[in-house]
Amino acid sequence: MIKTICAIGVVAASLNASNVMAKVSAEEAAKLGASLTPVGAEKAGNADGSIPEWTGGITAPPAGYAVGNDYIDPFSDDKALFKINKANMDQYKGKLSEGQMRMLSKYDSYFMNVYPTRRSVSYPKEIVDFAKKNAVTAEMIDGGNGIKGIEGVIPFPITTHPIEMIWNHIMRNRGGSFERQSVQVTPTESGDFAPVQFYEEFSTRFDLTDYATNTDDNVYFYFKQMVTAPARLAGNVLLAHETIDQVREPRRAWIYNAGQRRVRRAPQVAYDGPGTASDGLRTTDQFDAYNGATDRYNWKFEGKQELYVPYNSYALDDRKFRYKDLVKPGNLNQNPMRYELHRVWKVTGTLKEGQRHIYSKRTFYIDEDSWAILAADHFDGRGELWRNYEAHNKFFYDVNSPFTTVEITHDLLSGRYIALGLANELPYRYKFTTNFSSSDFTPAALRRSGQR
């Protein structure tokens, strides 16, 4: 899966005490696997039992599952406990984000079916070992723009520092290298849509078959995304080398334009540059909830809270649903959606004076069991709530990793939304059995991909 990472990040030539974040003590790290889960979540449940104790998560696939087949829902027998809608949302407002409250008040079609909380995330020994070591060795450098002293994933399992929490999301477990097929939709207010289909490849540097310790040591992962439909967009390809310290060395990105048959550098693939074929409904750094450099925001940790969030979204991927069954005006069909009560870390980023971004403030809700951002609120330049984000996820038990299935951004001003990750009508969603080499992520490979 993920190979050992040594001294990740590019270390600045000189560091001062103000920009190096403290590591935890061995005594503090000993809580991992004891009162805390191996990645730093509270092992205990909450006071009323609505969030249960973590007892190890899913450690084996359900009976009848075979690798390469559709995932069997291990919780298919669960019944919804209750439904949150416009009529009763005030009863639950202490456990709803501002964006969720606005969606509930704006759309009768938006509701939240709340199911029993299933702490399904488990951790293979490799992840456990990484987190335990990182707790006492990992440090942020260069004002939080880089990291050193980390192996594998989850650099800061014990932390209350907001930038460290964002790093944990960016460098969380994704199950290793993978191929992915997915569909993105950007419906009109009336619900009309034209699917855009993607094929993507992903690998951390350390999962490459020709991984070399001292090569590209400021790169964390490689990502290639090709549009495969509709015909007018097919063949356009994006390649990104995700650098760790993006202030010191900006993300390397290239685009192959099928019409021009040219590969060119793409510095706009960062920050608030528009997402691929997104119709302006999401930014580049909104892909996977948040990615890229953290330097344009002042970050604040606002505590841990209980929140109703998307979780264990196996039903949303069921092939009985066609895209036309799911894509509706205002929001996706909420009937197959599953929400659960989980503890989340609340982190807010406020745009620094003199910096530019279309979002003046962003609030992220980070799942304690996986370090994945599951919900977010985005505010415009006036400080008004603009967009609500949800990451519907499930536990991929064949690779022991939680990951996103469908991510949705609702534009509360225009009444439109973008949903990325639908795969109900595709042959597969993820393939975690593929190995990549560095030659698969070069500009030359970009050109070859576009000409297939």
Side-chain angles (χ1 to χ4, degrees):
M1 200 181 94
I2 302 173
K3 301 178 181 67
T4 300
I5 302 172
C6 297
I8 195 169
V10 176
V11 184
S14 62
L15 299 173
N16 58 55
S18 65
N19 63 15
V20 179
M21 306 305 168
K23 299 166 281 190
V24 304
S25 66
E27 291 75 20
E28 190 76 4
K31 295 178 181 178
L32 296 173
S35 59
L36 303 177
T37 72
V39 301
E42 292 177 60
K43 185 178 285 188
N46 64 357
D48 65 8
S50 54
I51 297 176
E53 177 187 7
W54 181 80
T55 56
I58 298 175
T59 56
Y65 172 75
V67 174
N69 291 349
D70 292 343
Y71 289 86
I72 296 171
D73 184 354
F75 310 119
S76 59
D77 291 337
D78 285 354
K79 305 299 181 185
L81 301 173
F82 53 88
K83 177 190 290 188
I84 304 174
N85 56 26
K86 181 186 294 188
N88 66 2
M89 67 179 189
D90 285 344
Q91 180 181 343
Y92 303 100
K93 63 182 179 181
K95 295 175 181 176
L96 296 170
S97 72
E98 186 175 346
Q100 290 171 332
M101 292 283 287
R102 284 284 292 277
M103 286 293 295
L104 288 162
S105 62
K106 184 177 177 69
Y107 297 106
D108 291 330
S109 58
Y110 181 87
F111 53 85
M112 303 167 71
N113 289 321
V114 177
Y115 287 80
T117 298
R118 303 291 191 175
R119 297 182 71 177
S120 52
V121 180
S122 64
Y123 314 103
K125 184 178 184 303
E126 190 172 29
I127 303 300
V128 173
D129 292 344
F130 286 151
K132 191 172 294 185
K133 183 169 184 179
N134 290 339
V136 296
T137 61
E139 296 176 276
M140 291 198 297
I141 61 173
D142 197 14
N145 295 314
I147 311 179
K148 70 173 184 176
I150 171 179
E151 294 186 10
V153 297
I154 310 173
F156 307 106
I158 300 178
T159 182
T160 56
H161 194 288
I163 302 181
E164 292 182 346
M165 292 177 177
I166 297 296
W167 273 112
N168 283 345
H169 164 77
I170 292 171
M171 302 181 75
R172 70 193 190 278
N173 179 24
R174 293 178 174 87
S177 301
F178 60 79
E179 299 175 72
R180 179 171 81 161
Q181 290 183 316
S182 66
V183 158
Q184 175 179 279
V185 294
T186 55
T188 63
E189 285 187 81
S190 62
D192 295 331
F193 68 97
V196 176
Q197 187 170 319
F198 296 103
Y199 166 77
E200 297 167 341
E201 298 174 345
F202 171 93
S203 181
T204 70
R205 179 169 65 92
F206 320 97
D207 283 312
L208 295 176
T209 56
D210 56 348
Y211 165 67
T213 304
N214 297 318
T215 303
D216 254 7
D217 59 359
N218 191 36
V219 172
Y220 178 55
F221 66 75
Y222 301 89
F223 175 74
K224 188 164 59 180
Q225 180 188 69
M226 178 169 62
V227 182
T228 57
R232 63 184 175 82
L233 298 175
N236 291 335
V237 192
L238 166 67
L239 171 66
H241 295 180
E242 188 74 351
T243 53
I244 298 161
D245 189 336
Q246 295 198 5
V247 174
R248 186 177 177 84
E249 181 188 13
R251 169 186 290 149
R252 310 171 199 157
W254 298 261
I255 289 177
Y256 174 77
N257 185 291
Q260 300 174 349
R261 297 191 176 184
R262 288 183 54 199
V263 174
R264 56 185 176 84
R265 291 299 294 260
Q268 76 276 13
V269 180
Y271 297 109
D272 57 358
T276 304
S278 66
D279 217 6
L281 290 169
R282 71 164 176 85
T283 60
T284 293
D285 65 5
Q286 229 176 305
F287 183 73
D288 192 31
Y290 188 84
N291 67 84
T294 61
D295 63 308
R296 293 192 179 180
Y297 289 90
N298 291 314
W299 297 94
K300 180 182 179 183
F301 171 50
E302 301 198 52
K304 182 180 281 190
Q305 71 173 87
E306 296 178 2
L307 196 76
Y308 294 112
V309 289
Y311 225 93
N312 294 311
S313 302
Y314 295 91
L316 181 57
D317 290 343
D318 196 313
R319 290 187 182 276
K320 72 181 180 183
F321 296 112
R322 314 304 286 173
Y323 301 140
K324 64 181 177 61
D325 300 324
L326 294 172
V327 181
K328 303 297 180 182
N331 48 268
L332 289 183
N333 180 353
Q334 291 295 114
N335 284 305
M337 307 288 195
R338 178 182 177 122
Y339 295 84
E340 299 178 6
L341 185 67
H342 285 262
R343 286 183 293 242
V344 295
W345 307 94
K346 183 178 180 180
V347 173
T348 295
T350 304
L351 193 64
K352 292 178 179 177
E353 186 175 352
Q355 293 285 0
R356 184 188 63 80
H357 200 288
I358 64 170
Y359 298 136
S360 65
K361 187 175 77 168
R362 318 166 80 154
T363 300
F364 297 113
Y365 299 90
I366 307 172
D367 174 39
E368 68 167 347
D369 285 338
S370 66
W371 288 106
I373 296 171
L374 300 184
D377 295 330
H378 301 274
F379 297 79
D380 64 18
R382 302 166 299 171
E384 299 293 327
L385 181 62
W386 183 6
R387 290 172 174 169
N388 172 63
Y389 172 91
E390 294 182 340
H392 294 261
N393 64 92
K394 66 186 182 186
F395 188 74
F396 291 80
Y397 34 72
D398 54 335
V399 289
N400 291 306
S401 178
F403 204 18
T404 305
T405 59
V406 180
E407 51 182 313
I408 312 165
T409 297
H410 303 96
D411 190 311
L412 295 161
L413 301 183
S414 71
R416 298 183 62 196
Y417 66 95
I418 180 171
L420 171 62
L422 297 170
N424 308 67
E425 299 179 27
L426 297 176
Y428 65 89
R429 178 184 296 278
Y430 286 96
K431 284 184 180 178
F432 292 98
T433 54
T434 306
N435 293 315
F436 297 104
S437 70
S438 57
S439 63
D440 292 311
F441 297 101
T442 63
L446 181 67
R447 184 184 299 275
R448 291 194 300 271
S449 296
Q451 293 176 341
R452 286 177 186 170

